[in-house]
């Protein structure tokens, strides 16, 4: 007899229980994202290791600086209220490294004339969103970078990962965070939604 898949409510309850005795957004984020194996690859640890190794090697950052987020990490998205679906849900990867963040920030400033060339972003809304992520989140999402050779190369890398792990994820996306605090703070909306 096949095992029954856990429901979203069961997964949510299990995640909440794992936070018993853990207080504050930063410590809860550390517990959920930095100290747990991903839900999506729980029984396929060699794949999680391979993905994190490839990303760490590409960006020349520590292996422990590569973290999964979203439904692939938790089993569901507290913000979107959706379950992780094999082969359909995205894998959101966070790279937490100040030096890498500065490299991407400098590239974005250089490619866009210090954010004065809106055409590099496609629209005023996309430029505003990019600047907001930098100033409020300490985060650079590769998909939102201004048009440049760096962005093209990074989109190609995301696409390669997406093809290689298509059986698990719909798409792979990468975000760069200035430090652990910025990463943990960014997860506050998901944690607040989780805790209700």
């Amino acid at each position: 007899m096949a095992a029954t898949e856990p429901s979203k409510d069961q997964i949510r309850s299990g995640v909440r229980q794992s936070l018993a005795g853990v207080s504050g957004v930063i410590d809860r984020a550390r517990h959920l994202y930095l100290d747990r194996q991903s839900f999506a690859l729980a029984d396929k640890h060699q794949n999680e290791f391979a993905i994190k190794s490839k990303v760490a090697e590409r960006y020349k950052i520590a292996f422990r600086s590569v973290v999964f987020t979203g439904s692939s990490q938790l089993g569901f998205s507290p913000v979107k209220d959706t379950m992780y679906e094999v082969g359909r849900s995205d894998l959101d990867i966070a790279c937490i490294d100040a030096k890498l963040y500065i490299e991407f920030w400098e590239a974005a400033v250089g490619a866009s004339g210090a954010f004065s060339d809106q055409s590099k972003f496609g629209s005023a809304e996309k430029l505003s969103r990019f600047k907001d992520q930098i100033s409020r989140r300490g985060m650079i999402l590769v998909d939102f970078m201004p048009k440049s050779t760096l962005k093209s190369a990074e989109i190609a890398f995301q696409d390669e990962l997406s093809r290689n792990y298509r059986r698990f994820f719909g798409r792979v996306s990468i975000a760069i965070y200035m430090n652990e605090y910025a990463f943990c703070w960014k997860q506050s909306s998901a944690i607040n939604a989780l805790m209700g």
Side-chain angles (χ1 to χ4, degrees):
M1 188 168 151
T4 305
E5 292 292 319
S7 71
K8 182 171 48 180
D9 289 340
Q10 289 170 323
I11 295 170
R12 182 189 309 272
S13 177
V15 171
R16 279 184 178 157
Q17 287 174 8
S18 76
L19 292 176
V22 180
S23 61
V25 170
I26 302 303
D27 283 344
R28 286 177 173 170
R30 286 178 178 144
H31 177 75
L32 293 178
Y33 300 99
L34 304 177
D35 195 41
R36 289 168 67 110
Q37 187 176 357
S38 75
F39 176 90
L41 299 173
D43 58 346
K44 299 163 190 70
H45 186 66
Q46 71 280 9
N47 290 300
E48 181 171 351
F49 182 82
I51 293 168
K52 288 181 176 181
S53 294
K54 284 178 188 174
V55 172
E57 180 182 329
R58 177 174 183 84
Y59 296 121
K60 307 292 185 258
I61 61 176
F63 178 84
R64 297 284 286 166
S65 295
V66 181
V67 179
F68 294 168
T69 67
S71 65
S72 296
Q73 177 65 18
L74 300 179
F76 71 103
S77 169
V79 175
K80 297 177 185 173
D81 198 33
T82 55
M83 291 277 292
Y84 165 75
E85 293 183 58
V86 178
R88 296 192 62 177
S89 295
D90 291 346
L91 171 61
D92 301 317
I93 300 176
C95 296
I96 306 168
D97 187 88
K99 184 173 180 252
L100 182 64
Y101 181 86
I102 290 168
E103 288 174 18
F104 272 69
W105 181 85
E106 288 176 352
V109 168
S112 66
F115 309 124
S116 63
D117 186 352
Q118 179 182 303
S119 70
K120 294 289 187 173
F121 292 90
S123 71
E125 180 187 343
K126 288 179 181 177
L127 169 58
S128 176
R129 214 169 179 190
F130 184 78
K131 287 165 66 174
D132 186 61
Q133 288 177 344
I134 289 173
S135 64
R136 295 183 64 215
R137 308 263 192 246
M139 173 185 88
I140 296 173
L141 192 62
V142 167
D143 289 337
F144 290 2
M145 289 278 293
K147 294 174 192 165
S148 65
T149 54
L150 174 66
K151 180 179 181 177
S152 297
E154 298 315 315
I155 293 293
F157 178 61
Q158 286 183 164
D159 290 347
E160 177 189 337
L161 287 175
S162 299
R163 284 190 303 276
N164 291 345
Y165 295 95
R166 182 71 185 108
R167 65 191 179 278
F168 304 120
F169 308 108
R171 182 174 182 272
V172 175
S173 67
I174 296 172
I176 316 297
Y177 289 84
M178 74 164 55
N179 57 32
E180 184 179 298
Y181 183 86
F183 169 78
C184 291
W185 187 252
K186 168 63 172 69
Q187 308 315 313
S188 63
S189 57
I191 292 168
N192 290 336
L194 168 67
M195 301 311 287

